[in-house]
Amino acid sequence: MNRNLSLSTIVLLTVSPILWAGNAVVGRLVRDAVPPMTLNLLRWSIALVVLLPLGRAAFAQGSGVLANWRRYSMLGLLGVGTYNSLLYLALHTSTPINVTLVASGMPVWMMLVGRYFFKVPVRPRQVAGAILSIAGVLVVLSRGDWQQLAALRLVVGDLYTILATIAWSFYSWMLLQKTDAPALRADWAAFLLVQVGYGVLWSAAATGAEWAVSGIHIAWSWPVVAALAYVAIGPAIVAMRCWGAGVMRAGPNIGAFFINLTPLFTALFSSALLGEPPRLYHALAFVLIVGGIAWSSRQG
């Protein structure tokens, strides 16, 4: 696999963290209006409806949707039913700073999962790149003041974030497995539709458990409807499409470094909403994170 990233691959892998940053902001804004599992179910149900007319190839004879149900069920569980459910749940019990800090370990988890479960060797450049990338995230979280990191305290929500990053690591590596029907794999909408279809079933089961424990409570409003529309179209369909295409080109190990752009974009979005201009530490963080991406993706 060629590790010299093309411009189109860089764009694909950058679009996803931009949209996921918006997802984090929106998820935080509506956390009191929609329970986390319910939010995830509504999000992916809307995405499923949007994908149905686009992914008709999933229903064609020989698509393998039923014959290969174990694979698609697992992709749906990891990428749709687990990852964002846990992150939405984490935002109810932890702070966004802590969640972002714990999630910044994604490159490490991606390398470990790839090494021990998919037999992909870890290169020294990737380790060095991970250190640079995580350092960039720490600069954002500390706002240039390292003493702020000492005040951080881990809570149960941070455990949810760790589980979410591990689930996403397995999902990303599974995308590379070439066990799909060629026609299905060639049609991005159909391939994503199959994952979302199975993922909605998993999300529905989790939501049913949530309703059984706490009851149904959704504070409907037009801002909530707009938030659902955004998280279903942008961070779900568009981001998943870009991530899948980018990972197929660059590999999960390299893609993981781009995920660490998410807290940087989140900080910038928050600054824009609060009317605060970007700070010097944002530029430093960007240099470190991009440096980690560039160093890890070099040949040799």
Side-chain angles (χ1 to χ4, degrees), residues 33-42 45 203-218 220:
V34 188
M37 302 301 167
T38 304
L39 175 59
N40 197 55
L41 175 61
L42 292 173
S45 295
S203 299
T207 302
E210 182 178 65
W211 291 353
V213 172
S214 59
I216 305 174
H217 172 70
I218 303 177
W220 288 107

Side-chain angles (χ1 to χ4, degrees), residues 9-188:
T9 302
I10 293 173
V11 171
L12 286 171
L13 291 173
T14 303
V15 166
S16 295
I18 290 175
L19 294 173
W20 287 331
N23 182 50
V25 173
V26 171
R28 182 71 175 178
L29 289 174
V30 302
R31 66 171 185 157
D32 294 328
V34 188
M37 302 301 167
T38 304
L39 175 59
N40 197 55
L41 175 61
L42 292 173
R43 171 195 187 185
W44 290 107
S45 295
I46 295 172
L48 179 65
V49 172
V50 174
L51 286 169
L52 279 173
L54 301 175
R56 292 187 297 272
F59 305 103
Q61 185 176 3
S63 65
V65 171
L66 296 179
N68 211 8
W69 68 270
R70 289 183 179 84
R71 166 173 166 75
Y72 300 127
S73 178
M74 186 58 64
L75 285 172
L77 171 64
L78 296 172
V80 175
T82 299
Y83 179 67
N84 273 279
S85 291
L86 289 173
L87 288 185
Y88 288 147
L89 186 60
L91 288 172
H92 279 249
T93 55
S94 183
T95 64
I97 291 180
N98 271 38
V99 169
T100 306
L101 173 62
V102 176
S104 70
M106 178 70 76
V108 176
W109 288 112
M110 199 74 77
M111 286 187 289
L112 290 175
V113 170
R115 171 65 178 85
Y116 291 106
F117 292 91
F118 295 88
K119 309 303 180 184
V120 178
V122 176
R123 297 180 300 139
R125 286 188 180 276
Q126 293 172 339
V127 177
I131 294 174
L132 281 176
S133 182
I134 293 175
V137 174
L138 294 178
V139 168
V140 174
L141 297 180
S142 67
R143 298 189 177 186
D145 182 3
W146 298 108
Q147 293 182 351
Q148 293 196 26
L149 294 178
L152 293 175
R153 295 294 183 271
L154 299 181
V155 296
V156 66
D158 304 315
L159 175 60
Y160 296 146
T161 305
I162 292 175
L163 294 175
T165 56
I166 295 174
W168 189 256
S169 298
F170 276 99
Y171 168 79
S172 298
W173 282 111
M174 285 184 65
L175 287 177
L176 294 185
Q177 294 178 320
K178 299 179 180 179
T179 58
D180 309 295
L184 179 66
R185 192 56 180 249
D187 190 323
W188 73 267

